[in-house]
């Protein structure tokens, strides 16, 4: 039972940290272009290899 006094606040801190990191990434534009990198892989660009 005493372990819960440590684990509950620790889990709340970890959840708050994860939410803070997620919203920080969303505010910086991390999730704005989700299709661009996938389409860039398919583009045939032979000049990059030479």
């Amino acid at each position: 039972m005493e372990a819960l006094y440590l684990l509950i606040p620790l889990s709340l801190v970890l959840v708050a940290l994860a939410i803070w990191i997620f919203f920080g990434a969303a505010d910086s534009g991390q999730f704005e272009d989700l299709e661009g990198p996938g389409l860039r892989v398919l583009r045939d660009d032979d000049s990059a290899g030479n």
Side-chain angles (χ1 to χ4, degrees):
M1 185 66 181
E2 291 83 20
L4 289 178
Y5 295 130
L6 174 68
L7 292 177
I8 290 175
L10 184 62
S11 66
L12 291 176
V13 167
L14 286 175
V15 167
L17 180 67
I19 291 172
W20 180 65
I21 289 172
F22 172 75
F23 281 111
D27 284 340
S28 70
Q30 182 79 25
F31 305 115
E32 294 218 358
D33 184 19
L34 297 177
E35 294 177 1
L39 295 174
R40 208 172 312 131
V41 171
L42 299 175
R43 195 175 315 147
D44 188 22
D45 190 14
D46 291 334
S47 64
N50 292 333

